Amino acid sequence: MNTKIIKPFKIIGIAVRTTNENGQAGTDIGALWQQFMTTGVLDRIPNKITNDIYSIYTDYESDHTKPYTTILGCQVSDISDIPKGMVAKTFEGGNYTEFTAKGNLQEGAVYQEWSKIWDMDLARKYTADFEVYGEKSQNPNDAEVAIFIAVELK
């Protein structure tokens, strides 16, 4: 776990408003991933910087126990061309603590890492937290996914 400065960035992708209450996020975010993977969203995102997939948690109503928005998409150089059914958002960047989820994605490796994060005493900002599914996440049975949590520096 280390802290780094993330520069501002832009994302285009698809989104859902959800909550962690009663396991709703698991259902909603699972359906969002299903939509992302089966409807060619990745191929339709214009101005992609890379094919890394970002799963962003933002627009928090309060903290991780209240409603928030999840966006699945890619970092882009320009958000002036937003395909129908997609959203675009600019993130300010800032101080982030990085975690790494390792293991089988189908068996909840990322969720298990989030469970640890929720139990930590982090000075979270609840502006935008995100996961990056890059080259090391290509094998779902033995993946590494970077998780970035926006924090206040103490």
Side-chain angles (χ1 to χ4, degrees), residues 1-56:
M1 161 171 96
N2 63 340
T3 301
K4 57 175 55 175
I5 295 174
I6 301 290
K7 293 180 180 175
F9 62 95
K10 300 174 184 79
I11 291 285
I12 292 179
I14 56 175
V16 66
R17 187 85 178 150
T18 190
T19 179
N20 287 334
E21 295 174 295
N22 301 318
Q24 188 62 46
T27 301
D28 293 342
I29 296 171
L32 193 68
W33 271 104
Q34 180 71 19
Q35 178 187 350
F36 189 91
M37 300 308 277
T38 61
T39 63
V41 172
L42 183 66
D43 295 331
R44 293 187 292 123
I45 296 173
N47 306 308
K48 281 191 299 263
I49 294 172
T50 71
N51 280 327
D52 291 355
I53 299 170
Y54 282 65
S55 181
I56 301 178

Side-chain angles (χ1 to χ4, degrees), residues 3 95 120-124 151-154:
T3 301
N95 296 307
M120 290 180 179
D121 184 22
L122 291 172
R124 292 185 62 186
V151 294
E152 297 280 355
L153 287 184
K154 295 179 182 179

